[in-house]
Amino acid sequence: MDDVQIALGEALDKVTIGDPRLKEVRMGALVSKEQVEVLKNRIGELSKSAKVVYGDLEKTNLIGATEKGAFVSPIVLREDQPFQNIAVHETEAFGPVSTIMPYKNIDEAIEFAQMGKGSLVSSIVTNNDEIAKEYVINAASHHGRILVLNRENAKQSTGHGSPLPLLVHGGPGRAGGGEEMGGVRGIKHYMQRCAVQGSPTTLTEITGIYQPNSKYKEITQHPFQYHWEDIQPGMSLRTHNRTVTDTDIINFANLTWDHFYAHTDITSLDGSIFKKRTAHGYFILAAAAGLFVYPNKGPVAANYGLEECRFLRPIYHNDTVYVRLTCKQKVDRDVASAEHPSGIVKWFVEVFDVEDELVAVATILTMVQKKQEVFVEMTEAKIEECLNKLTEKNQTKMGNLTPQHLFEHLEQGYKIMSGEIQDFEISTPEKILDKVHNSLYNYDKFQRN
């Protein structure tokens, strides 16, 4: 207790108080002078049994501020008999006030945490994960959030836990509740939500997300040939068939080093769930990709990932499969810097056998480029056409280039690209050079001025 008290005092000595706009200030004021009086009264209640061992309510060293502000010093109390004197558990000061109390073991620490009858957040500092587990399991019922602090995360910690959007924020009991309004869930209370019922096909059209068992939208070309704007949920392709052979399974095992007995040792199948030599699940997935992938260059820029995959029944050697590839959902994405505009398309992959029994499903993601409808493709013929229309009377729509300047600018560009001019200065101001460079990729028109 004494060591903790001394160390805490030394740390609080470094806390600077005053105008929070100053970089050297670490702590500002309370909300009002009235709150300062409330704080003093609460500390008075606590100090009937506990002792103030750090801080002075009547004197505060300020930086860039005066006593007119609602400033108070950090206060530390010491309660040596926390099981007998319960004011420390029932009185909340609402200010920079803490109380240090002794406990003998983890059971007493848990009891302390429960005696508060509810709080927003609790912290435990330990490098023993078993102790952390015992505390969290037994103290969680009385806290909205628990921070477990140890030597691994202490350097990055911002203190008594961080109320992140996806976490519960709001504690039980005396903490006031409010859990249902915390984080992302709280936003939903400001939205008018509606449940929609209908057939899978209708729900696909309403939501823009393909629902299993919806009607497929048959297409005239491979779906990977469409740009982002032209892809619609429900667009579907049925591939040709592929028969899985013994050789396929053995080669895949040798390639991946996956020699699980069901793929490589048919003498071990007795008593197992497998009847014959079985294809690897990931071979089925890879073979499915081989069936549905369009090999030529097109709008699909890259494979973006795999969200879910489920194998429903084994595929044995000499079984024949085919794939149904269906657009499940389109997710737009912001593109930063020098990257072609694109969106993410989620594809629903269904693998069937020749009897149309579903054997595997997966959702794969591809990055699909958007159409470029801003820039004119400057072929020699297009440049010649534009130059033939150029006269001294032409007026620029933006900027201050004259027709002669434009012609000279174009000529210099040709010489630079051909290598005729090697040494040249970049005339574009450096502060907008990145914007100009990025504009070649983002399809946004140049802004005036």
Side-chain angles (χ1 to χ4, degrees):
M1 282 276 288
D2 293 338
D3 291 340
V4 172
Q5 178 180 320
I6 293 170
L8 191 56
E10 291 175 349
L12 290 174
D13 283 340
K14 301 175 183 178
V15 175
T16 51
I17 307 169
D19 187 343
R21 293 172 296 183
L22 302 177
K23 64 180 181 179
E24 60 268 29
V25 171
R26 300 298 298 164
M27 191 175 90
L30 297 184
V31 68
S32 65
K33 281 285 192 178
E34 289 76 13
Q35 181 58 33
V36 172
E37 292 306 312
V38 171
L39 179 68
K40 289 181 178 179
N41 291 335
R42 297 284 173 80
I43 293 174
E45 295 175 21
L46 291 168
S47 59
K48 291 178 182 179
S49 58
K51 179 181 178 182
V52 176
V53 293
Y54 182 90
D56 187 342
L57 286 173
E58 305 303 326
K59 181 180 179 182
T60 305
N61 296 321
L62 301 176
I63 298 177
T66 68
E67 295 294 340
K68 292 182 179 180
F71 296 99
V72 293
S73 163
I75 299 294
V76 177
L77 297 101
R78 175 168 173 163
E79 175 57 78
D80 290 317
Q81 296 181 317
F83 288 102
Q84 287 75 33
N85 302 319
I86 61 173
V88 67
H89 304 293
E90 297 182 344
T91 304
E92 189 168 3
F94 284 105
V97 180
S98 293
T99 304
I100 53 177
M101 299 174 282
Y103 62 92
K104 297 177 182 178
N105 49 47
I106 186 65
D107 291 333
E108 288 194 353
I110 292 169
E111 187 174 352
F112 278 165
Q114 295 174 344
M115 288 175 73
K117 298 181 181 179
S119 75
L120 287 175
V121 60
S122 169
S123 295
I124 176 172
V125 183
T126 177
N127 202 46
N128 186 315
D129 290 338
E130 289 299 317
I131 292 177
K133 177 181 178 180
E134 184 176 356
Y135 178 81
V136 169
I137 290 175
N138 289 283
S141 60
H142 287 66
H143 302 86
R145 190 173 69 255
I146 295 178
L147 169 67
V148 180
L149 197 64
N150 60 24
R151 64 188 62 167
E152 292 182 26
N153 62 5
K155 290 183 179 180
Q156 289 80 34
S157 175
T158 57
H160 205 38
S162 302
L164 302 176
L166 296 179
L167 298 182
V168 168
H169 186 64
R174 260 210 305 254
E179 174 189 325
E180 69 282 355
M181 293 298 292
V184 174
R185 286 180 297 178
I187 297 175
K188 294 180 179 178
H189 290 270
Y190 293 89
M191 302 170 67
Q192 178 59 51
R193 293 180 289 162
C194 174
V196 181
Q197 294 176 300
S199 70
T201 301
T202 299
L203 293 178
T204 294
E205 294 303 314
I206 293 174
T207 63
I209 301 175
Y210 174 78
Q211 306 297 322
N213 299 317
S214 296
K215 291 181 181 178
Y216 300 122
K217 297 177 182 177
E218 301 295 346
I219 48 182
T220 57
Q221 61 183 12
H222 195 285
F224 285 8
Q225 292 180 275
Y226 291 95
H227 283 85
W228 159 264
E229 294 85 349
D230 297 327
I231 295 175
Q232 299 176 20
M235 278 186 168
S236 187
L237 169 75
R238 190 232 193 254
T239 70
H240 56 274
N241 295 349
R242 172 170 180 172
T243 299
V244 179
T245 67
D246 257 356
T247 303
D248 290 332
I249 299 173
I250 296 301
N251 286 343
F252 191 82
N254 291 332
L255 178 66
T256 61
W257 293 10
D258 180 353
H259 293 98
F260 185 63
Y261 77 92
H263 315 309
T264 57
D265 183 9
I266 60 175
T267 65
S268 300
L269 298 181
D270 287 346
S272 73
I273 63 172
F274 305 106
K275 299 177 181 178
K276 295 186 288 185
R277 188 187 304 279
T278 306
H280 305 67
Y282 294 111
F283 170 76
I284 300 302
L285 192 61
L291 287 171
F292 68 68
V293 165
Y294 184 69
N296 298 346
K297 185 177 180 180
V300 173
N303 185 346
Y304 201 69
L306 180 69
E307 269 197 347
E308 56 191 2
C309 180
R310 179 67 59 84
F311 305 114
L312 304 178
R313 80 157 184 83
I315 289 294
Y316 301 118
H317 70 94
N318 295 330
D319 280 353
T320 298
V321 297
Y322 70 90
V323 177
R324 173 64 75 168
L325 178 73
T326 307
C327 173
K328 181 177 182 180
Q329 185 181 3
K330 295 166 61 178
V331 182
D332 206 353
R333 63 189 292 264
D334 293 327
V335 175
S337 68
E339 182 181 342
H340 288 296
S342 61
I344 302 304
V345 178
K346 298 183 180 182
W347 301 94
F348 188 49
V349 179
E350 299 168 283
V351 183
F352 296 91
D353 63 17
V354 288
E355 296 179 352
D356 295 329
E357 182 181 352
L358 189 62
V359 298
V361 293
T363 299
I364 66 161
L365 285 67
T366 59
M367 184 186 300
V368 181
Q369 292 184 355
K370 297 180 179 179
K371 288 182 178 178
Q372 193 288 104
E373 297 176 330
V374 175
F375 298 117
V376 177
E377 186 177 357
M378 299 306 290
T379 61
E380 288 190 15
K382 186 64 179 179
I383 293 175
E384 184 177 352
E385 176 190 340
C386 293
L387 290 177
N388 287 335
K389 296 178 181 178
L390 190 66
T391 70
E392 293 182 356
K393 296 181 180 181
N394 288 128
Q395 298 293 322
T396 180
K397 293 183 179 180
M398 56 189 299
N400 56 9
L401 280 179
T402 66
Q404 182 62 32
H405 287 149
L406 175 62
F407 187 84
E408 292 173 0
H409 185 69
L410 181 63
E411 181 182 27
Q412 185 186 33
Y414 263 114
K415 290 181 178 180
I416 291 173
M417 287 185 286
S418 66
E420 183 177 341
I421 298 178
Q422 296 288 336
D423 298 322
F424 59 92
E425 293 184 2
I426 298 176
S427 57
T428 304
E430 186 174 353
K431 64 180 181 180
I432 65 169
L433 193 58
D434 284 342
K435 291 183 178 180
V436 173
H437 176 69
N438 294 343
S439 70
L440 301 176
Y441 293 85
N442 59 26
Y443 303 164
D444 293 337
K445 292 183 178 180
F446 284 106
Q447 297 180 358
R448 294 181 181 275
N449 304 317

